[in-house]
Amino acid sequence: MTIKLLGSSLFGLLFVAACSSTTPAPSPSAGGGNGNGDGNGDGDGAQTTRSGLTFVSPCTASACGEVPASTTAAKPECSETAGACGWGDPDPNGSVSYRQCEESECGAKPDESVCPSGTSFKGAACGSENDGPCVWRSACMPPRSTTPCTDADGCGPMPEIGVICADGSNGELECMQVGNKCEYQRTCD
């Protein structure tokens, strides 16, 4: 029972972390680029903003390398296909079922070493998607923006959600400049 509760809490933490903050990923994980400073290599000047990176075991930042310019998702995923780790854009409309697994079913638990430099390890969840094998899914997040949005309406209406910090205290949402747009982000981890 304690393991299931702990696993549920960890999955909830990963979900909150994935939805909580959006900042540009550091250059090692932002991908190719084409010299125009946009980081996506498409030549149109549009900026790809990364809210985080997901690594599916056994893949790690060192096995995956940089996120390619062709990967345009806000939270790209590195997973193993045909024996090699590679980046992909998760299907935003894909139907996914999820089953929490016992940690022993996923193998060795990942730690902060799974993440590229310039990001923070936010946790790992042991589970099965779409009746697949039980694997660890690790979340790595870039640092929060420290630049307040100058447009008073740049973020739109504030979502009515509670923010619970890692230490159990209550946090808030604040409107911050993220790349070329304004977005709400948490005030704490």
Side-chain angles (χ1 to χ4, degrees), residues 69-117:
S70 60
T71 303
T72 60
K75 190 169 185 181
E77 177 178 283
C78 181
S79 59
E80 188 176 46
T81 304
C85 292
W87 289 101
D89 291 329
D91 181 1
N93 300 316
S95 178
V96 175
S97 66
Y98 182 83
R99 176 181 64 85
Q100 183 176 333
C101 299
E102 296 293 328
E103 289 189 10
S104 60
E105 295 178 83
C106 289
K109 187 173 183 176
D111 59 19
E112 62 275 349
S113 65
V114 74
C115 297
S117 64

Side-chain angles (χ1 to χ4, degrees), residues 4-188:
K4 286 185 179 183
L5 182 58
L6 179 61
S8 295
S9 298
L10 181 57
F11 181 71
L13 175 64
L14 285 173
F15 179 76
V16 169
C19 298
S20 66
S21 152
T22 304
T23 56
S27 58
S29 59
N34 58 1
N36 68 0
D38 70 358
N40 69 4
D42 61 7
D44 67 0
Q47 181 177 1
T48 300
T49 303
R50 305 272 188 231
S51 62
L53 305 171
T54 299
F55 294 91
V56 179
S57 66
C59 298
T60 64
S62 59
C64 299
E66 291 188 21
V67 179
S70 60
T71 303
T72 60
K75 190 169 185 181
E77 177 178 283
C78 181
S79 59
E80 188 176 46
T81 304
C85 292
W87 289 101
D89 291 329
D91 181 1
N93 300 316
S95 178
V96 175
S97 66
Y98 182 83
R99 176 181 64 85
Q100 183 176 333
C101 299
E102 296 293 328
E103 289 189 10
S104 60
E105 295 178 83
C106 289
K109 187 173 183 176
D111 59 19
E112 62 275 349
S113 65
V114 74
C115 297
S117 64
T119 64
S120 298
F121 178 69
K122 295 299 181 182
C126 175
S128 166
E129 288 188 355
N130 295 330
D131 296 323
C134 294
V135 295
W136 287 105
R137 299 179 71 78
S138 301
C140 303
M141 309 297 282
R144 291 188 304 271
S145 171
T146 57
T147 307
C149 182
T150 56
D151 179 0
D153 296 322
C155 290
M158 184 180 293
E160 294 185 27
I161 60 171
V163 177
I164 301 173
C165 303
D167 65 3
S169 64
N170 292 325
E172 298 177 7
L173 293 175
E174 58 188 356
C175 185
M176 302 299 282
Q177 188 74 36
V178 180
N180 60 359
K181 59 185 177 177
C182 296
E183 295 182 1
Y184 283 108
Q185 67 179 18
R186 300 163 50 96
T187 58
C188 61

